[in-house]
Amino acid sequence: MYVQKNFDSASSMWDYRILLEMQDFYKKRKQGELTDTILTNRVKRDIGKFYKQLSSYSFDKFLDIKIATEDTLKIAFVSYKHTLTLKGIVTTEDTMLILISEDNGKSWLIQDWTIKWIADQIDKKLF
């Protein structure tokens, strides 16, 4: 969804822990104590900068899915392979999404830690 520049739809599926982690990320880098809409807009801007530089993206295949139960949470670890072209460099990577259900699998929220990696690249002025 990020590739299609549909951030609002993608972020609506995030587990709340992502924004807590991103708030801590920006604070540790002395970029302010961002909250609520300001935090979401900052994450959206960073992701937008990254995907503006992205020439192509393809989902290649699912690699593995594991489901675990911790206390009242059901957690799915979804590994997949994707290929992206960024600044003329083609990279194929394995990555993971973590899906969390607090209602025994009736609904799922997503932890996509790629956004933290993207924000780190932006912070290092690589994009």
Side-chain angles (χ1 to χ4, degrees):
M1 284 191 218
Y2 307 129
V3 176
Q4 297 171 349
K5 297 177 180 54
N6 197 347
F7 174 84
D8 295 327
S9 181
S11 65
S12 71
M13 294 183 270
W14 285 351
D15 177 67
Y16 72 92
R17 293 168 190 91
I18 286 186
L19 287 176
L20 291 175
E21 184 71 24
M22 292 308 296
Q23 183 179 41
D24 188 54
F25 173 88
Y26 293 123
K27 183 179 177 182
K28 283 181 180 175
R29 284 164 174 75
K30 303 195 184 326
Q31 296 176 13
E33 180 119 11
L34 309 176
T35 58
D36 303 328
T37 304
I38 295 170
L39 175 63
T40 303
N41 287 339
R42 175 62 190 274
V43 172
K44 184 177 182 176
R45 188 186 80 202
D46 284 352
I47 289 173
K49 281 182 185 178
F50 175 78
Y51 281 100
K52 190 181 271 185
Q53 298 291 319
L54 194 65
S55 305
S56 68
Y57 176 89
S58 66
F59 172 84
D60 299 331
K61 66 179 179 176
F62 282 108
L63 300 173
D64 192 26
I65 297 174
K66 292 185 177 160
I67 297 178
T69 303
E70 284 186 24
D71 299 324
T72 60
L73 300 177
K74 198 170 252 197
I75 303 170
F77 302 91
V78 181
S79 301
Y80 63 97
K81 183 181 293 277
H82 64 172
T83 302
L84 52 91
T85 305
L86 187 63
K87 294 186 173 185
I89 300 170
V90 178
T91 307
T92 299
E93 299 177 341
D94 295 352
T95 192
M96 179 184 297
L97 289 175
I98 300 170
L99 287 78
I100 297 179
S101 177
E102 295 179 344
D103 57 9
N104 202 26
K106 293 179 183 142
S107 63
W108 295 87
L109 294 173
I110 298 171
Q111 289 185 349
D112 179 1
W113 297 112
T114 304
I115 64 160
K116 187 173 177 185
W117 177 84
I118 289 170
D120 189 45
Q121 303 309 298
I122 299 293
D123 190 48
K124 292 176 183 174
K125 312 257 188 271
L126 298 179
F127 302 106

